[in-house]
Amino acid sequence: MSRAPAAANPCDWYSTSNATQTPILVLNQLYQFSPLQKTVSIILLALVDGRPRTLTLKQILEEYLRHRVMVIRRRTEYLLREAKKRAHVLEGQLIAISSLDEVIDLCRRSPSRAEAKVRLQQLEVAAAVLERALGTEHFAALQREIGTYDTYHMTEQQAEAVVRLQLGQLAALERDEILKEYNDLRGQIRSYEELLSSERNILNVIRADLIEMRDKYGDERRTQIIDAVGKIDLADLIAEEMNAVTISHHGYIKRLPINTYRSQHRGGKGVSGGQAREDDFIEHFFVASTHAYLLCFTNRGQVYWLKVYDIPQMSRTSAGRAIANVLSLRNEEKISSVIPVREFVDDAYLLMATRRGLVKKTALQEYSRPRSGGIIGIHLEEGDSLIDVVLARPGDHVVLSTKHGMAIRFDEADVRAMGRNTRGVKGITLQDGDEVVGMVVADPEGYLLTVCEHGYGKRTPFGPNVVSEAENDADQEDDESPDADADSADSDEIRDRSNMRYRVQRRGGKGVRDIRTTERNGYVVGIVSVRDGDDIMLITEQGMVNRTHVDEVRTIGRNTQGVRIMELREGDKVASIAKIAKEDEEEDESASPAETDHPTPPTDSAPEN
C-alpha cells in the first residue's frame, strides 16, 4: 500500500466520513489507515545450481519440487545407510546367539579381547546356521547383497559387537528383542530401496507431505487474493466537492468549502473572506473540484502543476499559507491565472492573453507533464506579463477586455496553434495607457458580466457565434451613446439593438465599447461569462467577499455605466471576480448572529451625466 501523505492524520479518516461520502471513499480510507488490506511482496530471486536467478512463479514452483526431490533422496539414502549399518551389527549378534556355546568357548580360550575378535572373524559359519539365525527371507536378501557361499565369516564390526555382548543380553527375552529389531530394520531397508527406485515414488511422498500440512493447518480462507491494483492515491481518500480557492497579492493561498459563503441580494455588504495581511489583498479567486488539476500560470509565463486537495484547507477568516510552501515559485513570480482541469483531452487548447494585447493558443496536452520547478507556458517580451488563460475548444469565440472598457470578440480559429515557448500574435490594438485585464470564452446563450473597481458593473448578452456584417469595420471604436436608463425601453426592443451583443471581429482590431469607465465606475477590474441562475463572488482589496445571484444584475447594453453590484467601504476597491455554481439548497437562514450579515436593499445606478 502507498504511504500516507505527510499532511494526512491517520485519525482524521473517521472524522471526515460523513453522509455525503460514497462507500468506495470510506473503504479506501479503511484500506489506507487500517490493516483491512495487506500487500504481500514475493521476491522471486533464488539460487539455482549455485547461481542467482529471477524466476517466474511457475519456474520457482518447479525449482521447489526439484529441491524437495533432492532433499528426500538424500535423506532416504542416509537413512538406508544407517539402517544397513545397524542391521549388519545385529546379524553378527544373531549369528553368535545361534552358535552360543561355540562362541563362548572361543572367547574363553582367547588370551585377550583383541585375540577373541580375530578368532571370531576366522570362525566359519555354515550357510544353514546363518539361515536359521536370520530367517529364510532375510537370508535370501543377504545373499542378494553379498553373494551365495557355503560358509560365511564375521566382519570386524560384527566381531566387536559380539565381544561387547553382556550376559543379560543372552537371555531369551533379549534375544527376541534383537530379532525383532532386525526384522524391523529389514522392513525399513526394503521401503527405502523401493522409494529410491523411482522418482515417482519420491513425488508421491512430497504430495503426501503437502496433504498432511493442508489437513493440519488449512481452514476456510477468510480473505481474498487479488491482482495488484497499485498503491492507493491520495485522491481516492478525499471526497470530491467544490472548493473556493483564494490567492492573495503577496502570494498566500488557501481553500475552503463553497458552502462557507451564503447568497446575498445585489448590493449586500458581504462577509469577510479572509483577514488579509497589511498591504495585502485577495487577487485571485475561483471555484474548482478537490480532484481537479490546477495549471498555475505566473505573470512571467511559467506554468506549475497542482492538485486542489494539496492546497491547505483553512477557515474563512484565515489569511492562508505562503504559496512558496506549495509551489516552487521564483522571487519575481506571481500567479496570474489558474485553470482547473479534470483531464488533458486532445481537442482542447489553452488561449493566453498578455497585458500588451498579445494572444497565444497551445494544445492542452502540451501542459500535461510539467516539472516541479515549472515549465515555460509562453514567451514574453521585455516589460510584458501574462494576464489571463482560458480553456478553449474548436468553434469557441473569445472576448478580450481592457482597463478602459474596450472589448473585442473573435474566433479562436483566428489564432493558430503554437508551441509552448512562443510569443503569440496580436489580439487587440490598445490605445495609449490601456491594457488587457481579462479574457473569457463567449457563451452564445450567456452574458458577459463586467465589474469596475468601484463596485459597479453590468451584464450584456454575448450574442451568437456568427460573423457580423460589420466585420469590415472591426478596427473602428464603437461610439454609441450611453444608455443609462435601461428600464425605460421595452425589453424586446432593447434586445434588437446592436449594443445588446458583442459582434464578431477579426483579432487585432480596436474592439467596441463595453462599459463606460467614468469617475463613478473606475477602471475595469475583471470580466466573467455567466448565465441565468449562476452566482458570482466579488473580492475586495481589504478581503471582503460578496456572493450575489447573477439574476439580480440587470441586463443592459454595452455602452453604459451599469448598476451597483457591491457596496464598498471607504477606500476599498474591487480586486477580483469569480463565478460559482448555484447551490442546490439555500443556506440555513437561522445562522448565528455572529455569522450573519443582513443584505442591504438593491441600489440601482445613478443617472449618467
Side-chain angles (χ1 to χ4, degrees), residues 39-56:
T39 300
V40 179
S41 300
I42 302 176
I43 301 177
L44 300 179
L45 180 65
L47 288 175
V48 180
D49 298 329
R51 294 184 178 182
R53 285 181 54 191
T54 301
L55 308 176
T56 64

Side-chain angles (χ1 to χ4, degrees), residues 304 323-330 333 372-374:
Y304 298 85
I323 199 169
N325 297 332
V326 182
L327 296 176
S328 302
L329 296 180
R330 298 177 176 88
E333 283 186 317
S372 59

Side-chain angles (χ1 to χ4, degrees), residues 360-568:
K360 184 179 80 82
K361 183 174 71 173
T362 305
L364 180 61
Q365 282 286 352
E366 294 284 337
Y367 302 93
S368 61
R369 294 180 180 85
R371 295 185 294 271
S372 59
I375 61 174
I376 297 176
I378 183 175
H379 176 73
L380 297 173
E381 295 180 339
E382 185 69 24
D384 201 1
S385 60
L386 184 63
I387 294 299
D388 215 340
V389 183
V390 297
L391 189 65
R393 288 180 169 81
D396 286 343
H397 290 182
V398 293
V399 176
L400 292 177
S401 180
T402 72
K403 182 174 71 172
H404 290 170
M406 301 300 294
I408 186 171
R409 174 180 181 176
F410 56 86
D411 194 333
E412 62 84 26
D414 289 349
V415 184
R416 61 182 177 86
M418 306 176 185
R420 287 190 296 104
N421 191 14
T422 52
R423 171 179 173 272
V425 295
K426 180 180 287 189
I428 186 172
T429 299
L430 299 174
Q431 298 177 351
D432 293 341
D434 201 3
E435 62 185 40
V436 174
V437 296
M439 175 175 59
V440 296
V441 176
D443 180 4
E445 305 297 328
Y447 305 87
L448 179 67
L449 193 146
T450 307
V451 176
C452 297
E453 60 184 355
H454 291 165
Y456 290 88
K458 67 171 185 67
R459 61 173 174 142
T460 304
F462 282 106
N465 284 355
V466 294
V467 179
S468 169
E469 295 180 357
E471 182 179 355
N472 294 332
D473 299 329
D475 292 341
Q476 301 300 322
E477 180 180 348
D478 192 342
D479 291 327
E480 298 166 358
S481 60
D483 185 11
D485 191 9
D487 287 339
S488 63
D490 182 77
S491 61
D492 292 337
E493 180 181 352
I494 291 177
R495 293 183 182 278
D496 289 338
R497 295 175 55 182
S498 62
N499 70 342
M500 290 301 293
R501 63 181 175 84
Y502 296 86
R503 68 172 181 263
V504 182
Q505 304 173 253
R506 294 190 182 95
R507 67 164 179 84
K510 292 183 179 180
V512 296
R513 175 68 62 183
D514 178 27
I515 191 171
R516 294 274 176 177
T517 53
T518 61
E519 183 178 355
R520 186 201 74 168
N521 285 1
Y523 292 125
V524 176
V525 297
I527 58 175
V528 65
S529 175
V530 296
R531 284 193 175 190
D532 291 333
D534 287 341
D535 283 6
I536 60 171
M537 281 192 179
L538 301 179
I539 309 295
T540 72
E541 293 180 354
Q542 295 181 3
M544 297 302 296
V545 178
N546 186 348
R547 177 172 178 170
T548 304
H549 297 308
V550 168
D551 298 346
E552 298 182 358
V553 180
R554 192 172 54 196
T555 302
I556 54 180
R558 288 187 288 101
N559 196 13
T560 58
Q561 288 196 106
V563 298
R564 181 184 296 276
I565 299 179
M566 182 177 183
E567 183 179 349
L568 301 177

Side-chain angles (χ1 to χ4, degrees), residues 95-250:
I95 292 173
I97 292 173
S98 63
S99 304
L100 185 59
D101 294 338
E102 185 177 1
V103 169
I104 292 176
D105 181 65
L106 185 147
C107 292
R108 186 178 295 170
R109 288 185 287 104
S110 298
S112 64
R113 183 172 180 173
E115 182 64 23
K117 288 173 56 178
V118 172
R119 292 181 180 182
L120 285 174
Q121 295 178 49
Q122 296 174 354
L123 177 66
E124 292 185 353
V125 181
V129 174
L130 187 57
E131 181 179 4
R132 184 174 66 252
L134 304 181
T136 304
E137 182 179 358
H138 299 330
F139 178 68
L142 181 62
Q143 285 182 323
R144 288 193 297 270
E145 293 177 7
I146 63 177
T148 303
Y149 302 98
D150 294 335
T151 58
Y152 296 89
H153 298 272
M154 290 186 186
T155 63
E156 182 179 359
Q157 292 83 2
Q158 290 175 330
E160 177 68 24
V162 169
V163 298
R164 286 179 176 274
L165 278 174
Q166 298 178 358
L167 291 177
Q169 292 179 279
L170 301 179
L173 184 60
E174 290 297 328
R175 292 200 304 268
D176 293 340
E177 289 294 330
I178 294 175
L179 182 59
K180 180 181 179 182
E181 181 183 359
Y182 179 73
N183 291 334
D184 292 340
L185 285 173
R186 295 307 303 187
Q188 293 177 14
I189 292 172
R190 284 197 303 270
S191 64
Y192 296 152
E193 291 176 341
E194 181 181 0
L195 179 60
L196 295 174
S197 64
S198 173
E199 186 171 339
R200 172 56 59 184
N201 296 334
I202 299 178
L203 294 177
N204 290 336
V205 172
I206 296 174
R207 184 173 184 274
D209 291 343
L210 294 176
I211 292 175
E212 181 182 0
M213 187 179 300
R214 179 200 65 188
D215 296 340
K216 184 177 181 180
Y217 300 105
D219 56 3
E220 185 176 355
R221 178 173 293 280
R222 287 168 287 181
T223 59
Q224 293 181 350
I225 300 177
I226 60 175
D227 293 335
V229 294
K231 62 182 182 181
I232 295 179
D233 188 46
L234 181 59
D236 299 328
L237 307 175
I238 298 176
E240 184 170 4
E241 59 182 4
M242 299 305 293
N243 276 191
V245 180
T246 63
I247 304 175
S248 74
H249 180 72
H250 288 170

